[in-house]
Amino acid sequence: MKKAVHFGAGNIGRGFVGVILNEAGYELVFSDVAAPLIDALNTEESYTVHEVGADPKDITITNFRGINSAENPDALAEEIATADVVTTAVGPTVLKFVAVNIAQGLQKRAELGTPGKVAVMACENAINATDGLAEEVRKHYAAADEQAIFANTAVDRIVPNQAPGQGLDVTVENYYEWAVETGPFGDDVPAINGATWVEDLAPYITRKLFTVNTGHATLAYFGAQAGISKISDALANDEIRAKVEATLAETKDLIVRRFGFEPEVQQTYIEKILSRFANKDLPDTTDRVGRSPLRKISRNERFIGPAADLAELGRPTDALLATVAALLEFDVAEDPEAVSLQQTLAELKAGESDLDTVTAQLTGLDAEHPLYAGVRTVIAARVA
């Protein structure tokens, strides 16, 4: 039987990537540092993924086990050494840490003489995340490319925080997309039926990031600003929906210009995304979707990324900047990045730092960039 090692045994790992790999006939080895989660994976014989929406269904997942990467790195290396596929869903900032384990596994693979190369794919909400992962792996094992094929992916499925007491079971929306570039594999593409294989990933991953992720986070920040907790309730607010639609109209402008999508095709995609956000059966919250605002306001992410490109083209960015203003108000005590953001803004307001330093620090923009002045004005207004 084929084997897949997946880093990140959380809700996305079990409810998205793990489902696709399991249904494609792979034995699943989940790697995580959360001991109770790994213990549960090694105790339970199955778990259920509940897909909710217009066509709900339950999927039973079996044939899995877990390894604690912090406690048993050698055992994890052994698994990678004989795996067919390695995937991640840990968050872009964590990839540099799992790269160490992957490097150890590839080195072990070379020592054992395992035939063929393992497919390594980072399933993260970031553009070309696998490229970054590969770079980190090579730092620890220079011959990584002799043992692995690294391929970028674009992933899309809403997996909300789960209700207490569900155990390993996961509730997800009944839509997903996992697009993987074929180029690195040549004619030997892995057998994963649930994946969509594409020659050019850039249009898919950029459209997804600047539509799904931009729209979802926009909804979260304006919803939180209005004191609304549930994502679907936020979209039901006409004023908030209009702001989300305005933001996505700007990213649509960029996507159509950059990749040549027909405007009608992109608008249909937007409407599909909004219908997913409106799913009342999905218990998603503005706090969850808005978390990690420091990452989301960074240079190549879902707001500054498209806004910077539009500014360079001389196109409007008013709606995106309005969303950045809402992001700056995001204040959730349970989110370390939100706490850090508010502390940074408080220090700026107190005169302990200066506006240009904070603007550059938060957004990564140079002062000469055409978007810089607009973002600087938004930040200044937040602390006025």
Side-chain angles (χ1 to χ4, degrees):
M1 174 177 278
K2 298 171 293 185
K3 180 171 69 177
V5 175
H6 178 78
F7 285 85
N11 299 328
I12 295 174
R14 301 194 316 280
F16 179 14
V17 183
V19 176
I20 297 174
L21 292 170
N22 182 262
E23 293 197 313
Y26 287 80
E27 174 190 15
L28 291 173
V29 180
F30 288 106
S31 170
D32 209 295
V33 295
L37 183 53
I38 294 299
D39 290 344
L41 286 166
N42 288 327
T43 300
E44 302 295 331
E45 293 185 356
S46 68
Y47 68 86
T48 303
V49 176
H50 306 282
E51 292 189 350
V52 297
D55 185 23
K57 66 176 180 178
D58 289 345
I59 303 172
T60 301
I61 306 300
T62 60
N63 198 23
F64 58 82
R65 61 183 186 277
I67 293 182
N68 189 316
S69 56
E71 296 179 358
N72 299 301
D74 291 341
L76 179 56
E78 293 277 358
E79 296 286 3
I80 294 171
T82 56
D84 299 281
V85 169
V86 172
T87 53
T88 76
V90 295
T93 60
V94 181
L95 289 175
K96 62 183 178 182
F97 300 109
V98 304
V100 177
N101 298 112
I102 295 174
Q104 292 170 346
L106 295 182
Q107 186 168 2
K108 185 67 176 179
R109 189 182 188 91
E111 293 171 359
L112 293 177
T114 303
K117 295 183 179 182
V118 60
V120 179
M121 298 171 283
C123 305
E124 312 289 349
N125 278 327
I127 295 175
N128 297 334
T130 306
D131 286 346
L133 173 61
E135 184 177 341
E136 292 295 330
V137 171
R138 293 178 192 120
K139 291 178 181 178
H140 302 283
Y141 182 51
D145 293 284
E146 296 178 10
Q147 301 299 323
I149 295 174
F150 296 92
N152 287 303
T153 78
V155 292
D156 186 9
R157 175 170 245 181
I158 298 174
V159 183
N161 287 335
Q162 304 296 300
Q166 284 196 184
L168 293 176
D169 291 359
V170 189
T171 299
V172 301
E173 68 167 329
N174 59 353
Y175 170 93
Y176 75 82
E177 183 179 49
W178 183 15
V180 187
E181 60 179 348
T182 57
F185 297 107
D187 296 327
D188 191 20
V189 173
I192 304 175
N193 295 335
T196 300
W197 301 93
V198 298
E199 291 184 10
D200 184 6
L201 187 65
Y204 293 87
I205 194 168
T206 305
R207 181 172 75 158
K208 185 266 176 178
L209 181 61
F210 291 171
T211 307
V212 180
N213 297 97
T214 300
H216 214 196
T218 298
L219 184 55
Y221 293 130
F222 283 119
Q225 189 181 59
I228 300 173
S229 176
K230 194 173 179 181
I231 282 290
S232 58
D233 291 343
L235 190 61
N237 180 294
D238 290 342
E239 184 177 347
I240 293 175
R241 185 183 180 104
K243 292 176 179 178
V244 175
E245 289 176 341
T247 298
L248 293 182
E250 289 183 352
T251 60
K252 171 186 172 181
D253 182 23
L254 176 65
I255 291 164
V256 167
R257 289 171 182 275
R258 177 183 288 181
F259 297 113
F261 287 108
E262 291 295 330
E264 297 80 7
V265 171
Q266 178 60 15
Q267 188 59 41
T268 298
Y269 182 68
I270 289 172
E271 296 302 327
K272 172 63 177 178
I273 299 308
L274 292 176
S275 71
R276 293 167 58 198
F277 297 163
N279 187 346
K280 293 183 178 296
D281 295 318
L282 204 62
D284 216 354
T285 66
T286 53
D287 282 1
R288 186 198 76 84
V289 177
R291 67 189 177 189
S292 304
L294 291 178
R295 174 170 62 85
K296 290 170 181 171
I297 198 178
S298 62
R299 178 61 179 86
N300 297 313
E301 263 281 350
R302 62 204 71 190
F303 300 121
I304 301 302
D309 289 351
L310 286 165
E312 291 171 8
L313 295 171
R315 303 297 299 167
T317 59
D318 294 344
L320 281 160
L321 288 175
T323 302
V324 170
L327 177 153
L328 294 174
E329 295 185 25
F330 190 69
D331 189 2
V332 175
E334 294 77 20
D335 180 8
E337 285 197 17
V339 172
S340 179
L341 172 61
Q342 296 309 319
Q343 182 179 349
T344 296
L345 294 172
E347 291 171 354
L348 175 59
K349 186 170 186 175
E352 298 173 13
S353 57
D354 68 89
L355 182 57
D356 286 308
T357 298
V358 170
T359 301
Q361 172 190 334
L362 292 178
T363 68
L365 290 168
D366 296 328
E368 296 78 18
H369 194 279
L371 183 67
Y372 183 88
V375 176
R376 186 180 188 275
T377 299
V378 167
I379 296 174
R382 174 69 178 88
V383 298

